[in-house]
Amino acid sequence: MKFHAHRELQLLEEISGQSHVTQRGLSKKLGVALGLTNLLLYRLTRKGYIKVINLQRNRLRYLVTPQGLAEKSRLTCEYLEYSLQFYRHVRRFLTTSLTPLARAGCRDILLFGTGEVAEIVYLTMQEMDLNLVGVVDGGNGRGKFLGVPVISPADLSLIPFDRIVIASFTSREKIQQQLEALGIPAEKMITIPDRV
């Protein structure tokens, strides 16, 4: 799914889900600049997907049009297809990467990350009878993930492992550098490609 299509879907969902939204609120929700939010809303208006009603001098109301609802449905289907394709891609990559390790007796896997990608890694590991020996997060290592305590990168030396799977797409290079600075060789790291 293209980036701008995903943003349009997010905007249509936010506008159709709330009676009163502001550009500033939409900007925060989407995590984009206010000017970009304004541009995206303008494009949606030009395409006929939303209608802007002027309530007062500084207050606008956004309504999703029937054409906008149809586009929202189409984009939702596209997003679901992309998500399933991405899920299959990650599973295929992990199976290809972890199978030789399992055959060679490398069964103790450490996860770096606690998001949805880490959950996919965990499911794949379960099918291959690999052991999740720990979960690392970039923060200070609080809480649990899949019943396993989350540790900070500084505590990596406390857990013996055969490989570490970087289950994060944000700042992967930074994570790799951080792990290398802690003495973990690059050949012990498995990085999942983010392209489908």
Side-chain angles (χ1 to χ4, degrees):
M1 176 174 227
K2 294 182 181 175
F3 180 75
H4 72 277
H6 186 246
R7 289 288 186 225
E8 286 183 359
L9 175 59
Q10 288 178 306
L11 276 171
L12 289 169
E13 285 177 340
E14 288 299 320
I15 292 168
S16 64
Q18 299 180 37
S19 60
H20 296 287
V21 293
T22 64
Q23 285 189 16
R24 192 168 308 282
L26 290 170
S27 173
K28 285 182 182 178
K29 198 86 161 177
L30 272 63
V32 297
L34 185 58
L36 179 58
T37 303
N38 185 298
L39 177 66
L40 291 169
L41 288 168
Y42 175 75
R43 286 183 185 166
L44 289 175
T45 303
R46 275 193 29 218
K47 291 178 181 180
Y49 298 153
I50 63 171
K51 185 176 181 175
V52 181
I53 299 172
N54 212 348
L55 297 176
Q56 293 175 356
R57 190 172 71 90
N58 287 339
R59 291 183 41 138
L60 301 173
R61 183 165 185 188
Y62 302 98
L63 300 173
V64 179
T65 65
Q67 188 179 5
L69 288 174
E71 180 65 5
K72 180 181 161 196
S73 295
R74 187 191 72 73
L75 288 172
T76 300
C77 289
E78 185 179 315
Y79 180 74
L80 288 172
E81 179 58 37
Y82 172 81
S83 297
L84 289 172
Q85 186 180 7
F86 179 75
Y87 174 81
R88 288 189 292 267
H89 163 74
V90 170
R91 295 271 296 186
R92 193 169 36 252
F93 171 81
L94 288 169
T95 301
T96 302
S97 299
L98 296 175
T99 298
L101 296 174
R103 287 186 185 141
C106 297
R107 299 208 166 276
D108 295 335
I109 307 295
L110 192 63
L111 274 178
F112 195 112
T114 57
E116 290 83 6
V117 178
E119 291 177 14
I120 297 171
V121 174
Y122 179 75
L123 290 172
T124 306
M125 288 173 54
Q126 294 302 299
E127 289 178 358
M128 302 178 78
D129 199 29
L130 297 171
N131 306 319
L132 177 62
V133 294
V135 178
V136 182
D137 191 32
N140 51 12
R142 291 187 187 149
K144 288 189 174 191
F145 180 75
L146 303 169
V148 177
V150 177
I151 64 169
S152 72
D155 296 329
L156 272 173
S157 61
L158 303 174
I159 301 175
F161 62 92
D162 295 315
R163 294 293 185 276
I164 183 166
V165 178
I166 300 172
S168 173
F169 296 128
T170 54
S171 54
R172 275 189 307 210
E173 291 81 17
K174 183 180 172 186
I175 293 170
Q176 289 171 316
Q177 290 170 356
Q178 184 180 17
L179 293 174
E180 286 174 356
L182 291 168
I184 297 167
E187 52 274 0
K188 283 190 99 170
M189 298 179 216
I190 298 173
T191 306
I192 301 167
D194 58 354
R195 301 222 170 131
V196 179

